[in-house]
Amino acid sequence: MTASRSVFGFNQDLPFSEACERNKQPILDVLSQWLPAAAKVLEVGSGSGQHAVHICRQLSVQWQPSEQRQNLAGLQRRVDFEGGAALPGRLLRPIPLDVTDPKQWPSGPFQAVFSANTAHIMPSPAVSELLAGSARVLDPGGLLLLYGPFLSGGVHTSASNAAFDAHLRSRDPAMGVRDAAELSVQAAALGLTAVEDLALPANNRVLIFRLDQAVSTKR
Ligand SMILES: C[S@@+](CC[C@H](N)C(=O)[O-])C[C@H]1O[C@@H](n2cnc3c(N)ncnc32)[C@H](O)[C@@H]1O
């Protein structure tokens, strides 16, 4: 993510990600198929907010963006600049959320939790917290949708993903592309059943989990 660059040709000091611009439409296409109308959605690690804005412009949702406290200011600028009166009731004020701090999770309930390109950045224990926190805040039958590169049964799905994984791990051994099969096992133990694994452009995927009714009614 670059520090500041405007999508509109003038500088509003907004955070900007080229990758987001490329992948926001394929992601929207998936969400438009899976999110119920008027869904309350929690986004974890909203980054530049480009996904949040793009989705809220197209879908009738109530979108709660969030970020780690140290990255919140740029996200807030984008929401102030592109949300507000332009997207009333759809795009909410961003909240601080570090998935590893249970006190920072909003109480919900949400019909969906969405997170893009975060699982390979967070250390594995934080990814487990992302799954556990999602299971806590989702409605019965609610969906967790994770976008990004993932291994399939321990195997990279492309040479470029393998190279990206090696690059991440050389920067920080705690980072790395996660295995969809391992995530599914962890998620299942929390009552989140893997229901779909969709291939998207550039060797990315959307993993979709649904919270079992039995687990969520026990809360
Ligand atoms: C590569 S960026 C992706 C941003 C955006 N979702 C996108 O697709 O462009 C990874 C994001 O994960 C967030 N992140 C990393 N660790 C986190 C944690 N423990 N809790 C919440 N977010 C975290 C970072 O703040 C960052 O915004």
Side-chain angles (χ1 to χ4, degrees):
M1 196 158 70
T2 54
S4 76
R5 149 139 189 223
S6 171
V7 201
F8 305 102
F10 52 95
N11 190 348
Q12 291 291 334
D13 198 24
L14 301 178
F16 180 83
S17 153
E18 293 282 357
C20 263
E21 283 306 295
R22 287 194 300 273
N23 61 41
K24 68 185 187 183
Q25 187 58 41
I27 289 175
L28 172 66
D29 292 342
V30 171
L31 295 191
S32 64
Q33 297 288 316
W34 282 82
L35 294 183
K40 268 187 84 173
V41 183
L42 171 66
E43 182 182 12
V44 175
S46 301
S48 64
Q50 287 159 266
H51 289 307
V53 168
H54 188 63
I55 290 161
C56 288
R57 282 185 180 147
Q58 304 295 328
L59 300 184
S60 160
V61 287
Q62 196 183 88
W63 194 269
Q64 176 62 74
S66 74
E67 247 308 337
Q68 289 185 292
R69 221 174 270 280
Q70 65 270 26
N71 297 332
L72 200 56
L75 173 63
Q76 182 64 59
R77 280 197 301 280
R78 181 173 295 281
V79 170
D80 287 345
F81 184 57
E82 297 187 318
L87 295 167
R90 288 196 185 185
L91 184 53
L92 305 180
R93 186 180 172 76
I95 56 169
L97 174 56
D98 183 320
V99 296
T100 63
D101 181 356
K103 292 191 296 298
Q104 291 188 23
W105 280 82
S107 53
F110 295 92
Q111 282 80 58
V113 175
F114 168 74
S115 196
N117 289 317
T118 54
H120 57 270
I121 300 295
M122 296 175 187
S124 286
V127 179
S128 303
E129 294 298 328
L130 170 58
L131 298 176
S134 299
R136 285 195 303 272
V137 302
L138 279 171
D139 251 346
L143 300 175
L144 168 64
L145 304 101
L146 298 180
Y147 168 85
F150 295 97
L151 286 92
S152 192
V155 179
H156 281 295
T157 58
S158 70
S160 61
N161 280 7
F164 180 53
D165 189 26
H167 166 71
L168 287 171
R169 290 175 195 276
S170 72
R171 275 178 57 199
D172 180 348
M175 295 199 290
V177 176
R178 311 298 169 199
D179 184 5
E182 262 179 41
L183 294 184
S184 296
V185 170
Q186 278 189 46
L190 296 160
L192 286 162
T193 301
V195 291
E196 192 55 279
D197 177 353
L198 299 167
L200 265 69
N203 303 303
N204 287 309
R205 287 149 70 184
V206 179
L207 308 181
I208 306 180
F209 305 87
R210 180 175 281 124
L211 186 67
D212 302 344
Q213 305 280 343
V215 171
S216 43
T217 50
K218 275 194 230 149
R219 285 187 308 207

